[in-house]
Amino acid sequence: MGEEQKTPLQSSLRVQELIYGLKISEVMTKKVFAVSRNCTMRDVQQIMKNNGITGVPVVDSKRVVGFVSMNDLMNALEQGDMGDGVTSHMSGEVQTLAEEMPLSFAISAFNKFSFRSFPVVNKKNELAGILTFRNINLALIRELSRQLREMENQHSAVPETESMDLVKVYQLHRYDFENGGKASSEIKKFLKARGFHAKLVRRVAVASYELEINLVAHSIGGMLSFDINADRVKISSHDRGPGIADVEQALTEGYSTANEWIRSQGFGAGMGLPNVKRVSDEFAIQSAVGMGTMIRAVINLKPEKQNED
Amino acid sequence: MNLNRIADMLEAELVHGPAGWEQINIETVFASDLMSDVLMSERDEMLLITSLSTEQSIRSAGIVGSEAVIIANKKTVTEGMIELAKDQDVALLCTKFPKYESCIRIGRLMGA
Amino acid sequence: MKISDIQSLDQFTCVQSEYADAEVSSGYTSDLLSDVMAHADEGSVLITIQAHKNTVAVSSLAGVVAIIICNNRPIADDVLEAAASEGIAIFQTAENQFQTSSLIAQHLAGCPAA
């Protein structure tokens, strides 16, 4: 079954899986050097120099109110304004990231803005850390080597053919309606072959199919991953954008942003995401405009845990 | 209601028929061109009538357990659809009648 | 059968009643607007679940006089407003497209069966 082609593809998928699976909070630097509004540019210069960093957030009672970059510092230096307060040189409009966002959102942000680092905030909107590209690289290297060690350890174990466990990742591309649905067909067959009740298989198939179509019709591309064990099927959908402005609206039946072409393909009637939610035992969605959308749907396989239908 | 009686009524052309397709018993019919609508159904929809002639029609039918798909409006069936119908073990037929007329004809058969 | 005859049937709820009562010539069942555009007859009733503003626009171009939205699909206000300004009646029903098609056909033929 094309095993020989699998290795490079799987490894690039593994990296993608990581950037979707890791949270920003797991990757960022938690020890942040920040300054308050009454500090001077010279204070910032000292902090940068002593700690080898290239940007310092300005905070006011833990909230990020500005950011002083290396560039801002250079400009102040050139103009001989190093004694000035930071507020006259900082950028006031700061793009922050939320710590519970997946790493993929951060990568989109790095692509979209030219900043070298982003302040990260927690749920209370307080400064919680800082994220640089270096953080991302280190985290990926760390995770990949850990996985490599795991794979080496597992190598000797004989795979069970009737095993209930399956981890699989599918890539989906914008407007590629022809391939939307392949993942669902495979997963459906997998579950059917293991003797699950037709109704249960149908729920999994509906959720995964709608998510596939959602990626194809509405995202610029992304991936759908399955993590199956004897207890449950976990389906995760991740895309690189454009992100949903109003998640609640997107979950309202009949609401759709689909264009006429998508409609002509038989989709875009605003039933997709509500449909996924309907058939899932657990459903979670997270989205940020310009960064992407992450959806997780869980369907329990054990009868006592299933929703009545 | 056997599928071959419906096929006769719609003057349908068989594109793919698994062994014994003529005897497939049809009790529920679903007509739609929007696949989420099909997927939203809670019943086992045995026959799907659609004028959406794409692979997605066959996939959606497969997911809700339909045993047969009739493509209305004399639309062209693609090679990919035939492959998929084989893969999903779904009978695939084609009729010149629009969906409205197809529904009425089947409705008459079933109502009578 | 006239548009107002649909209104009198139990299965249908009229949700947009600003229309000039006219004779219904036939039915057309579709969710694909390009098909409606190409094939729906002048004076026909459109049976669909596509409750979208563009459905009204296409219906108006094709000469569809009434739209029946099946499966009790929600209809947004902008759809109703568009239909009111085009004078196209909109009905909602819990029945699906298959059942609705048969029902309308029976009434068009003048023999409302059970």
Side-chain angles (χ1 to χ4, degrees):
Chain A
M1 278 185 23
E3 288 293 332
E4 66 282 349
Q5 299 174 353
K6 252 183 183 163
T7 327
L9 181 68
Q10 286 292 18
S11 66
S12 82
L13 287 182
R14 213 165 272 278
V15 174
Q16 291 214 18
E17 231 176 297
L18 277 176
I19 67 168
Y20 291 127
L22 283 170
K23 281 184 177 176
I24 289 178
S25 59
E26 298 172 80
V27 176
M28 67 185 187
T29 304
K30 287 186 179 133
K31 192 178 166 196
V32 199
F33 296 94
V35 294
S36 60
R37 284 185 200 267
N38 50 22
C39 288
T40 63
M41 291 304 279
R42 186 154 290 120
D43 296 333
V44 173
Q45 185 196 16
Q46 280 305 317
I47 291 173
M48 283 190 183
K49 202 171 146 191
N50 294 342
N51 302 292
I53 52 176
T54 56
V56 175
V58 181
V59 292
D60 187 343
S61 52
K62 293 187 183 169
R63 300 285 164 88
V64 181
V65 293
F67 195 82
V68 181
S69 67
M70 198 65 121
N71 257 348
D72 299 328
L73 192 75
M74 294 298 214
N75 289 338
L77 204 60
E78 245 170 49
Q79 293 156 16
D81 296 338
M82 293 301 282
D84 281 4
V86 287
T87 45
S88 47
H89 292 277
M90 70 183 189
S91 337
E93 302 255 309
V94 193
Q95 176 66 46
T96 58
L97 298 171
E99 64 175 355
E100 73 272 20
M101 283 177 174
L103 196 53
S104 58
F105 284 21
I107 292 172
S108 302
F110 273 108
N111 286 335
K112 196 175 161 196
F113 306 99
S114 57
F115 307 132
R116 294 198 189 152
S117 54
F118 288 93
V120 181
V121 294
N122 61 19
K123 280 201 174 123
K124 291 186 219 148
N125 214 12
E126 296 165 349
L127 181 65
I130 198 141
L131 189 78
T132 63
F133 239 0
R134 189 177 143 79
N135 289 130
I136 297 175
N137 289 338
L138 287 176
L140 290 183
I141 291 166
R142 184 186 70 213
E143 287 295 316
L144 283 172
S145 8
R146 189 182 56 78
Q147 289 192 1
L148 203 64
R149 275 197 305 278
E150 269 176 22
M151 273 163 70
E152 277 167 359
N153 292 341
Q154 282 171 1
H155 204 67
S156 48
V158 183
E160 298 167 56
T161 43
E162 280 309 301
S163 164
M164 248 327 291
D165 295 3
L166 177 75
V167 174
K168 198 141 191 204
V169 180
Y170 297 86
Q171 294 290 312
L172 287 123
H173 305 285
R174 178 171 225 179
Y175 293 166
D176 183 13
F177 277 97
E178 295 215 343
N179 288 303
K182 282 197 172 155
S184 317
S185 295
E186 278 187 43
I187 297 301
K188 189 179 119 190
K189 279 184 189 159
F190 175 87
L191 292 173
K192 220 171 157 185
R194 277 153 189 80
F196 282 98
H197 192 277
K199 267 199 169 154
L200 199 56
V201 178
R202 176 163 161 176
R203 284 173 53 204
V204 174
V206 167
S208 81
Y209 185 60
E210 289 285 14
L211 287 173
E212 277 185 89
I213 293 299
N214 190 54
L215 284 171
V216 167
H218 297 292
S219 83
I220 57 172
M223 67 173 214
L224 193 69
S225 59
F226 293 85
D227 176 356
I228 305 176
N229 64 28
D231 292 330
R232 50 109 187 97
V233 176
K234 192 158 98 187
I235 313 169
S236 312
S237 160
H238 298 270
D239 65 54
R240 299 186 291 273
I244 302 169
D246 188 338
V247 169
E248 208 168 298
Q249 213 169 23
L251 290 173
T252 308
E253 254 183 55
Y255 175 80
S256 178
T257 55
N259 59 32
E260 218 37 64
W261 186 76
I262 295 171
R263 286 170 187 276
S264 74
Q265 297 297 306
F267 294 95
M271 286 181 277
L273 291 181
N275 215 359
V276 178
K277 202 175 167 187
R278 181 180 63 90
V279 297
S280 304
D281 293 309
E282 285 170 43
F283 178 86
I285 179 166
Q286 199 179 6
S287 189
V289 171
M291 297 184 201
T293 300
M294 185 175 94
I295 302 169
R296 184 161 292 149
V298 177
I299 290 153
N300 294 324
L301 295 173
K302 288 271 159 69
E304 66 272 16
K305 281 188 179 171
Q306 279 161 34
N307 281 354
E308 294 298 311
D309 55 331
Chain B
M1 176 68 47
N2 285 351
L3 185 55
N4 62 344
R5 285 194 61 199
I6 293 175
D8 285 347
M9 198 67 180
L10 297 184
E11 301 170 31
E13 177 196 334
L14 181 74
V15 183
H16 168 73
W21 72 271
E22 298 96 331
Q23 311 310 322
I24 294 175
N25 185 33
I26 304 292
E27 281 167 18
T28 51
V29 182
F30 200 77
S32 189
D33 308 320
L34 290 182
M35 294 306 124
S36 289
D37 186 36
V38 178
L39 298 171
M40 204 122 196
S41 145
E42 303 269 349
R43 298 191 304 176
D44 282 323
E45 305 295 353
M46 295 160 175
L47 169 65
L48 171 67
I49 307 175
T50 183
S51 34
L52 182 75
S53 189
T54 70
E55 293 180 21
Q56 302 310 335
S57 310
I58 318 289
R59 287 197 194 280
S60 304
I63 286 173
V64 299
S66 291
E67 292 177 87
V69 178
I70 297 182
I71 303 291
N73 267 12
K74 211 180 178 176
K75 292 216 174 153
T76 322
V77 172
T78 65
E79 206 51 49
M81 289 167 68
I82 301 171
E83 284 306 309
L84 209 53
K86 283 179 191 161
D87 178 68
Q88 305 271 320
D89 207 25
V90 169
L92 179 59
L93 296 96
C94 213
T95 177
K96 64 180 178 188
F97 294 115
K99 215 167 65 172
Y100 177 70
E101 180 71 24
S102 305
C103 289
I104 299 172
R105 284 172 176 252
I106 298 173
R108 241 181 257 147
L109 257 185
M110 292 185 141
Chain C
M1 183 178 80
K2 292 190 130 189
I3 302 173
S4 53
D5 293 328
I6 302 176
Q7 198 162 344
S8 65
L9 297 173
D10 289 345
Q11 294 90 340
F12 305 102
T13 312
C14 186
V15 289
Q16 200 301 103
S17 55
E18 287 176 40
Y19 62 88
D21 204 10
E23 198 64 32
V24 175
S25 62
S26 61
Y28 196 76
T29 308
S30 183
D31 307 310
L32 300 177
L33 298 185
S34 52
D35 275 3
V36 177
M37 191 79 149
H39 305 294
D41 289 336
E42 184 82 34
S44 62
V45 49
L46 174 65
I47 300 160
T48 186
I49 60 149
Q50 187 79 273
H52 191 266
K53 229 169 105 177
N54 292 356
T55 310
V56 177
V58 166
S59 296
S60 165
L61 290 169
V64 167
V65 293
I67 300 170
I68 299 176
I69 303 290
C70 296
N71 297 0
N72 269 341
R73 299 267 328 155
I75 305 167
D77 288 340
D78 63 341
V79 180
L80 297 176
E81 281 160 25
S85 71
E86 296 294 325
I88 296 171
I90 299 191
F91 300 93
Q92 208 173 22
T93 178
E95 308 284 312
N96 65 29
Q97 297 183 64
F98 172 65
Q99 295 152 338
T100 306
S101 301
S102 285
L103 215 63
I104 290 296
Q106 285 160 8
H107 285 279
L108 277 172
C111 54

